[in-house]
Amino acid sequence: MKFGISQNIHDTTRSKPYDLLLDDLREVAEFADENGFDTFWLPEHHFSLWGREMMPNPLMVAADVAARTKRIRIGLSAAIITLWHPIRLAEDLAMLDQLSGGRLEIGFGRGNYGLETTNLNPIADPNNQEQNFKVFEEGVDVVITALANKIFSYKGEIYQFPAPGFKADRAHSVDDPAFTDPTTGELAKLTLIPGCKQKPTPPLWQVVSESPRSMRYAAKQNMGMIMWRPSVATLKQRLGIYKDAYREYHGVDLPFGAKTAIVRDTYVAESEKEARRLAEAPLIGSLNFANWRGPSIYLDPGETLDADAEAALRKELTYDFVRDRALFFGSPDDVVGRIQHLYEETRMEQITFKCSWPGLSHADEMRGMKLLAQEVLPRVRQWHSQRFAQAAE
């Protein structure tokens, strides 16, 4: 049972200097490193006109975090692979794994925002799901192939590496038989310099939403699965899909919940009333900004809403609606109980806490994180070691 922090950069006032926003993120990372969190996760988003998602290059931020921390693992959740040249991404990931001393966790995402793909890679338009998935699938294949093999090649419908026809140019001759086609003399293989420190690759994850296809693909590729906001009942259904697909593709019956992670919006205060006073408005504002999928993503399997409730929640999600479905909000006792319930039901390998939203001051973010680290996690770890050690005897 491992615990992480998910951290973005945001400033909806668009008035705070970016270097000070980076300093806030660094303080959170260093606190997490020093207080027993296992992983520090970073997202990727571009062109944030609203000041909500201001981290276009998580790999560079991860390198900075790696230089300032000692033990915490550094995760990408996710590198939006459809927006990258896959070989360049593979090179940068390998370098990041070296710079971090082998502390990298790689999460891949497909990308949901037309604003990003339209300007960075139009062929990955999320409005064309089949094409978007094809670009994603080949990109993942390229990156894994490049990371896992000292010498490699790849040929797909979209990508081919090495590019065909190269023999030499004014700066490069190709005379190593390990890399050339003996018949044509053309370059037939590539290599990454440097390769990863972790062999054969760093741990791999896929960030998934509600698509069973994505869950099955993560299992097929031997990637872990990261989810955000489903209810416990829905999580159990998705974990079953992943477990069944993993058995189908690999012939291995994973323990329920293995290789899976959940992100939960979390705020710990002296009481739930105080948590709501400090953090409810920032949280709900953030959830409503991202409410384009509607309230269905919070529902249990088979649950439906009447038309009036559906329309109201599409217009504005409420704290009371999401509280028991997707939040860890309240006193240390409240949050300990919610974590215990989630783990009892799902056995998920990792729980990641998102403790910051636009509008919550950095001081209040740190206040909540300190209670989480000092009053919640030690109790959960003690409970876990006692409860499940006894169960194993």
Side-chain angles (χ1 to χ4, degrees):
M1 190 178 191
K2 297 180 180 179
F3 300 108
I5 290 291
S6 176
Q7 191 72 11
N8 207 336
I9 293 177
H10 43 69
D11 175 27
T12 51
T13 71
R14 288 173 284 182
S15 62
K16 190 169 182 178
Y18 198 85
D19 62 329
L20 298 184
L21 297 173
L22 285 172
D23 285 344
D24 290 346
L25 179 141
R26 289 163 177 152
E27 183 180 0
V28 174
E30 290 167 359
F31 176 88
D33 186 46
E34 294 164 1
N35 285 273
F37 290 89
D38 298 288
T39 312
F40 187 74
W41 295 92
L42 298 165
E44 175 186 345
H45 283 294
H46 302 266
F47 317 121
S48 180
L49 310 178
W50 315 274
R52 289 183 172 273
E53 299 160 325
M54 301 168 64
M55 196 181 302
N57 194 322
L59 281 74
M60 291 187 71
V61 177
D64 182 84
V65 167
R68 299 168 186 273
T69 55
K70 296 178 180 179
R71 47 156 295 280
I72 198 165
R73 296 186 64 79
I74 302 165
L76 308 175
S77 62
I80 307 303
I81 197 167
T82 52
L83 306 180
W84 289 78
H85 185 290
I87 291 291
R88 184 58 188 268
L89 178 59
E91 288 181 327
D92 289 353
L93 291 170
M95 180 65 79
L96 179 54
D97 197 44
Q98 293 287 346
L99 290 171
S100 67
R103 290 187 282 146
L104 179 63
E105 306 260 334
I106 304 172
F108 295 119
R110 290 171 55 189
N112 287 319
Y113 298 165
L115 171 65
E116 297 178 333
T117 54
T118 298
N119 290 284
L120 294 173
N121 190 12
I123 68 167
D125 181 0
N127 294 311
N128 183 341
Q129 282 289 293
E130 284 302 315
Q131 180 71 6
N132 174 273
F133 195 89
K134 184 63 178 176
V135 177
F136 171 79
E137 186 176 37
E138 285 205 12
V140 169
D141 286 346
V142 171
V143 170
I144 294 176
T145 299
L147 294 179
N149 298 279
K150 185 174 180 59
I151 299 174
F152 68 92
S153 62
Y154 182 85
K155 187 172 184 178
E157 295 178 24
I158 299 171
Y159 299 114
Q160 183 173 346
F161 303 107
F166 181 83
K167 293 184 178 181
D169 62 21
R170 62 185 181 183
H172 301 87
S173 61
V174 181
D175 55 10
D176 187 331
F179 292 90
T180 57
D181 183 309
T183 302
T184 66
E186 291 182 4
L187 185 68
K189 300 284 184 179
L190 290 174
T191 187
L192 289 192
I193 300 173
C196 291
K197 185 173 179 64
Q198 299 176 85
K199 303 298 183 184
T201 72
L204 302 172
W205 300 84
Q206 182 180 350
V207 177
V208 305
S209 53
E210 62 264 37
S211 167
R213 179 182 185 180
S214 292
M215 299 167 204
R216 290 179 55 81
Y217 179 76
K220 179 180 179 180
Q221 291 288 70
N222 196 25
M223 297 190 291
M225 183 171 68
I226 300 173
M227 292 166 287
W228 188 14
R229 294 175 178 158
S231 70
V232 169
T234 299
L235 280 174
K236 291 170 70 174
Q237 181 186 64
R238 294 178 182 179
L239 297 178
I241 293 171
Y242 180 85
K243 178 179 169 66
D244 290 347
Y246 201 94
R247 184 193 308 114
E248 175 186 340
Y249 288 118
H250 303 287
V252 174
D253 197 12
L254 287 177
F256 194 76
K259 294 176 70 68
T260 64
I262 180 67
V263 181
R264 278 290 192 244
D265 291 290
T266 302
Y267 195 81
V268 186
E270 290 75 13
S271 65
E272 184 175 7
K273 181 179 180 181
E274 180 68 358
R276 293 185 68 170
R277 184 184 74 81
L278 293 169
E280 177 181 341
L283 163 74
I284 295 300
S286 182
L287 297 189
N288 277 305
F289 177 79
N291 193 28
W292 54 275
R293 286 191 180 94
S296 63
I297 65 171
Y298 301 96
L299 299 181
D300 291 338
E303 183 182 7
T304 59
L305 300 169
D306 64 53
D308 289 343
E310 171 83 19
L313 289 166
R314 279 191 172 275
K315 184 177 181 180
E316 185 175 5
L317 295 168
T318 66
Y319 178 88
D320 289 338
F321 175 71
V322 297
R323 175 186 184 269
D324 295 334
R325 301 169 184 272
L327 302 183
F328 293 156
F329 257 56
S331 69
D333 286 347
D334 294 333
V335 176
V336 167
R338 289 180 183 276
I339 294 172
Q340 289 173 339
H341 172 68
L342 174 70
Y343 189 79
E344 288 272 15
E345 292 291 319
T346 67
R347 301 295 199 273
M348 297 190 78
E349 189 174 289
Q350 296 202 33
I351 298 173
T352 298
F353 306 102
K354 179 173 172 55
C355 303
S356 176
W357 313 272
L360 183 71
S361 73
H362 180 65
D364 284 335
E365 175 188 1
M366 295 305 300
R367 174 184 174 184
M369 280 192 59
K370 287 174 182 175
L371 284 173
L372 175 62
Q374 296 168 6
E375 303 294 333
V376 174
L377 296 194
R379 291 171 55 187
V380 172
R381 287 191 169 110
Q382 183 179 27
W383 165 82
H384 182 267
S385 63
Q386 293 175 347
R387 166 78 171 79
F388 293 95
Q390 292 169 359
E393 292 174 357

